[in-house]
Amino acid sequence: MDGIKWFVALLLIVGIAWIGGKSRAVRESAQSATSTPKVQTAERTQTTPAVKVQPDTQKVPSNAPAGTVISNTIVPATDLAGVSPLRGKVTITSVTRGISPDKEYVLIQASSGNKEAVNITGMSIQSGISLNSQTIGTGWALFFPNTVGGSERIFLRPRGRAYLISGLFPFGTELSRQGGFQLNKCTGFFAQGKQFSPTLPKECPSSQSGPLPEPPNALSKICYDYLGTIPRCTAPPPKVPTALVADGNCQAYLFNHLNYNQCVTDNKDTPTFYKGEWRIYLGRSSTLWRSKNEIVELVDDEGRLIDSRKY
């Protein structure tokens, strides 16, 4: 009888142990179903592709093509096809139709809102009707009439303007029919003996403004009064008044000082010497524009439209 009791007690102990083990297994299974092991998280992180963030702008290369703004950014490639990134930065202000190419010109101007100078060399001015076209060439920021070579790309600063004249460069040769120069305080001297359209402003210092010779070479009163009769930006005539024939100091000043080269030497370092205007000659021997029903277009060096005018 005691053996039976021991056998029943053993069965109860085994049963209790079996039930407890099964409960722990169920709890562990439930916990694993609701938690994320660190190993799984690491694996997902390694297999997730990285997302690249594209910059809004790109740096301009040092060898940026003609017709670009000198800037730290360029317009994204998603810009409208056929429209230049320079649109709004340079505009056509007016078109003057002439009976000859030297009297026919287009005025373009850089926006006052520009932060940098715009390179206009390589741009073209063209007809949207006849498809006649002419490319803007190079020029001289400081020009001398006997200059040969050395021209550079032309830049328009904010609010700067340029007259694009259809005709021949007035200081050119058969081998140099195109050219351009920036106006300065002394370029009014170029107009002596030549016709410019539009006319050149005569903003040279007056003939009496000096620098005048110091004693003992000071100018006589007669000489000084004679200087007052000579217009601005005008070299004196070769024949002086009779009263000055024997006045060597006066003649030395007249013929050595009143000319373009000396004017540049005396004034080139002054803040107002350079003007914000260019005269650019396209080198044509025939007119570029129709007399009426014309579309004048300014395009960049890739043929994209910058601005246009109709008449």
Side-chain angles (χ1 to χ4, degrees), residues 127 129 290-295 310-311:
S127 167
I129 304 297
R290 294 154 51 98
S291 59
K292 57 182 179 179
N293 300 326
E294 181 64 279
I295 301 177
K310 297 179 181 180
Y311 68 83

Side-chain angles (χ1 to χ4, degrees), residues 1 23 41 46 54 89 113 118-119 151 173 179 182 209 212 223 235 249 268 282 293 305:
M1 188 69 181
S23 299
T41 303
Q46 293 174 359
Q54 298 294 337
K89 296 184 179 297
V118 180
N119 173 24
S151 60
T173 65
Q182 185 178 16
S209 64
L212 300 175
C223 181
N249 286 340
K268 62 183 178 61
L282 304 178
N293 300 326
L305 184 65

Side-chain angles (χ1 to χ4, degrees), residues 19 24 32 57 86 101 130 152 156-158 164 220 231 252 284-285:
I19 294 172
R24 284 195 300 271
S32 65
T57 57
L86 292 175
S130 67
E152 300 177 345
L156 285 188
R157 297 188 179 277
L164 309 179
S220 64
R284 294 179 59 89
S285 56

Side-chain angles (χ1 to χ4, degrees), residues 15 17 20 43 46 59 73 90 98 114 127 130 137 146 157 160 179 189 196 204 217 224 245 251 259 293-294 310:
E43 289 178 354
Q46 293 174 359
K59 294 292 184 181
T73 59
V90 183
N114 293 348
S127 167
S130 67
N146 296 325
R157 297 188 179 277
F189 275 103
F196 286 84
C204 307
N217 299 317
Y224 185 79
V245 170
Q251 293 189 46
N259 57 69
N293 300 326
E294 181 64 279
K310 297 179 181 180

Side-chain angles (χ1 to χ4, degrees), residues 41 131 241 302:
T41 303
L131 303 184
E302 295 186 13

Side-chain angles (χ1 to χ4, degrees), residues 32-50:
S32 65
T34 58
S35 63
T36 303
K38 292 183 179 180
V39 174
Q40 293 177 351
T41 303
E43 289 178 354
R44 284 199 298 269
T45 302
Q46 293 174 359
T47 57
T48 302

Side-chain angles (χ1 to χ4, degrees), residues 13-70:
I13 292 171
V14 171
I16 292 171
W18 180 82
I19 294 172
K22 185 174 182 181
S23 299
R24 284 195 300 271
V26 171
R27 286 196 304 270
E28 290 175 357
S29 176
Q31 182 178 1
S32 65
T34 58
S35 63
T36 303
K38 292 183 179 180
V39 174
Q40 293 177 351
T41 303
E43 289 178 354
R44 284 199 298 269
T45 302
Q46 293 174 359
T47 57
T48 302
V51 178
K52 293 184 178 180
V53 179
Q54 298 294 337
D56 293 332
T57 57
Q58 300 173 337
K59 294 292 184 181
V60 172
S62 59
N63 59 345
T68 58
V69 176
I70 307 304

Side-chain angles (χ1 to χ4, degrees), residues 263-283:
C263 178
V264 170
T265 299
D266 293 340
N267 297 278
K268 62 183 178 61
D269 295 326
T270 60
T272 58
F273 177 72
Y274 290 99
K275 308 300 178 183
E277 180 178 316
W278 282 79
R279 298 295 173 91
I280 303 170
Y281 293 83
L282 304 178

